[in-house]
Amino acid sequence: MERQKSLSLKPTTLLVFSFTIFSSTLFLSIFTIWLIKSSPSLQNQTTLHLNTSSISSSSSINDTDNVSLNLQPLKFQSLTRFTKNFTVNGVKIPTLIDNQLSGLHNILTGSKSEENGTSSYESRVRNEKNKLVVANAVLKKIEEKKRVEECDLTKGYWVFDQSYPLYDKGSCPFIDEGFDCEGNGRLDRNYTKWRWKPKGCDIPRFNATKLLELIRGKRLVFVGDSINRNQWESMLCMLFGTIRDPKRVYETHGRRITKEKGNYCFRFLDYQCTVEYYVSHFLVHESKARIGQKRRPTLRIDAIDHGSSRWRGADILVFNTAHWWSHYKTKAGINYYQEGNFVHPRLNVSTALRKSLTTWSSWVDKHINPRKTQVFFRSSAPSHFRGGNWNSGGHCREAINPLNETLTTSYPEKDIMIEEIIKKMKTTVTLLNITSLSQYRIDAHPSMYGRKTQSSSIQDCSHWCLPGVPDTWNELLYYHLQSV
């Protein structure tokens, strides 16, 4: 039987191994000492902490030997890639931040006198901190703006969400009969519980208090047709829910919301702001002209609506027009469109719309101050009539869920026009594109519940129940307002 081999180390091997360990340890010790001596130290053990929490500009500096600055270095690093052209007072953002950090470092590592210099030192540190707060805020705005631009809000899907709706009929006195589906007898509530989820990003949940703070002391004005009134009533309901005393919100002329009266101004006393709506079906002037022996209605496609004086001075303007631009409502374009004293015997509705939008854009560029006013234009809202038009038996009564796919894949010509015109304007106008996401929501129209007495002959598949889809349009508006 073979003898089992034992593990043994020769003296020479042991000596080499010990020498190697000793040499490595000695080298690491010398390197560590050299590294410590060569690193610059802060005098008086002053420390500069950079972490990922936010800066508190209002915090007091009691211990000047231990100053903690809460920056967001990851944001500085990531934003440098796309802020080459962003400047503050003519200075590029990365340069601005580098200068502020350098200035603060010089203050912290410099000597300070023990008597009269202490207050001056604290003041300089405080000033540098405030400058960094401003720089960080600018970077945050740039990052939010880029995130909005990169997020395509128009592509996504509807998610059933039990936490919706954001308000209910009982909590909002501003829903008029035409949009009050529950009050008119609709029993199912699923149409109120769908949330729009864009692909690749999220819409922040609507926060009424934050929006009221954003518009404190300002005017939020909706101008357009009854679909814009739909959105305006939704906005009133969404904001009203956060007000503790209902009497602190009132219509300035004492008007009750109905389809008949077109202009309203609601004041929120606690925030000294107003949320207003002005009816303007076409945004241009509805007039009359003598045609033959009679004066007939015409549309002045070369003149802005005469009510435009009430829109001026608003801080946020939300326009729309689309619903009335049809051959039926514009008298088929025969002896209806007017320019100057000339009434066109016949004019295509698309040509008339383009001329009218050009008139509107010229008015905005001339009369709106972009430093004061943010301008939005909401795209067209789809209708979902089946089996006929609104006046010929069209209906949508069977729909109780959103569509799995949209009824049309083509982009509306009206929206293409407004996009083209907005691009040519001097004033910045944000397109509030709600067309595609609303295409799925055949279930959310009043249908036969647009009035208390249901009628199967005439149904409303153009407007929207409240609560409902217009709430999502306002969530998108809120998203943009936060990011501007």
Side-chain angles (χ1 to χ4, degrees), residues 17 69 76 84 86 99 107 124 142 170 194 245 315 342 355 376 400 405 415 480:
F17 180 78
L69 295 180
F76 297 165
K84 290 184 179 180
F86 287 105
N99 290 344
I107 292 175
R124 291 173 64 192
I142 293 171
W194 294 93
D245 184 358
D315 299 275
F342 176 69
K355 287 176 175 288
F376 294 86
I400 58 173
E405 58 184 5
D415 294 329
H480 284 290

Side-chain angles (χ1 to χ4, degrees), residues 221-270:
V221 175
F222 293 81
V223 179
D225 55 33
S226 56
I227 308 294
N228 235 23
R229 180 167 59 88
N230 219 167
Q231 184 178 356
W232 167 75
E233 288 184 24
S234 161
M235 178 62 79
L236 282 178
C237 291
M238 294 168 79
L239 295 178
F240 186 70
T242 197
I243 303 298
R244 293 182 179 180
D245 184 358
K247 294 180 181 178
R248 305 285 291 174
V249 180
Y250 63 91
E251 209 284 322
T252 56
H253 296 94
R255 293 174 177 170
R256 177 175 158 273
I257 299 176
T258 68
K259 287 185 176 181
E260 285 72 33
K261 294 185 177 66
N263 302 321
Y264 299 95
C265 175
F266 276 82
R267 178 171 294 279
F268 288 72
L269 274 177
D270 294 335

Side-chain angles (χ1 to χ4, degrees), residues 44-268:
N44 297 327
Q45 295 181 347
T46 303
T47 59
L48 177 64
H49 300 291
L50 301 181
N51 56 49
T52 57
S53 59
S54 61
I55 297 177
S56 174
S57 59
S58 61
S59 61
S60 61
I61 303 179
N62 296 322
D63 182 3
T64 57
D65 290 334
N66 186 16
V67 181
S68 177
L69 295 180
N70 302 322
L71 303 179
Q72 298 186 5
L74 291 177
K75 286 190 176 181
F76 297 165
Q77 195 174 35
S78 62
L79 283 167
T80 303
R81 294 197 303 270
F82 61 86
T83 56
K84 290 184 179 180
N85 297 323
F86 287 105
T87 61
V88 176
N89 296 329
V91 182
K92 290 184 178 181
I93 293 295
T95 305
L96 176 68
I97 293 173
D98 289 342
N99 290 344
Q100 299 307 326
L101 288 172
S102 176
L104 184 57
H105 176 76
N106 292 337
I107 292 175
L108 295 174
T109 56
S111 61
K112 59 175 182 176
S113 64
E114 294 183 359
E115 296 178 2
N116 298 331
T118 301
S119 60
S120 175
Y121 171 80
E122 292 179 0
S123 176
R124 291 173 64 192
V125 171
R126 188 178 294 108
N127 288 339
E128 293 300 324
K129 279 190 68 176
N130 290 337
K131 290 177 182 178
L132 281 168
V133 170
V134 173
N136 194 41
V138 171
L139 282 170
K140 187 175 181 181
K141 282 288 185 185
I142 293 171
E143 186 180 54
E144 289 176 349
K145 185 174 179 64
K146 184 172 179 64
R147 188 168 64 248
V148 170
E149 291 172 349
E150 290 179 346
C151 178
D152 188 349
L153 301 175
T154 66
K155 295 180 180 178
Y157 44 89
W158 289 93
V159 179
F160 194 80
D161 190 333
Q162 286 287 3
S163 68
Y164 277 64
L166 300 173
Y167 59 92
D168 56 51
K169 168 186 159 41
S171 66
C172 182
F174 308 123
I175 305 173
D176 76 53
E177 181 183 353
F179 311 142
D180 186 7
C181 299
E182 180 182 347
N184 294 334
R186 184 167 180 173
L187 299 179
D188 69 286
R189 299 288 178 271
N190 283 355
Y191 68 93
T192 69
K193 295 185 175 297
W194 294 93
R195 172 175 56 85
W196 178 248
K197 173 68 174 71
K199 292 180 180 177
C201 55
D202 288 306
I203 303 173
R205 189 176 177 88
F206 186 87
N207 187 312
T209 302
K210 285 186 177 180
L211 181 53
L212 283 167
E213 286 294 348
L214 280 174
I215 64 173
R216 180 184 287 276
K218 298 180 179 180
R219 295 175 61 203
L220 169 56
V221 175
F222 293 81
V223 179
D225 55 33
S226 56
I227 308 294
N228 235 23
R229 180 167 59 88
N230 219 167
Q231 184 178 356
W232 167 75
E233 288 184 24
S234 161
M235 178 62 79
L236 282 178
C237 291
M238 294 168 79
L239 295 178
F240 186 70
T242 197
I243 303 298
R244 293 182 179 180
D245 184 358
K247 294 180 181 178
R248 305 285 291 174
V249 180
Y250 63 91
E251 209 284 322
T252 56
H253 296 94
R255 293 174 177 170
R256 177 175 158 273
I257 299 176
T258 68
K259 287 185 176 181
E260 285 72 33
K261 294 185 177 66
N263 302 321
Y264 299 95
C265 175
F266 276 82
R267 178 171 294 279
F268 288 72

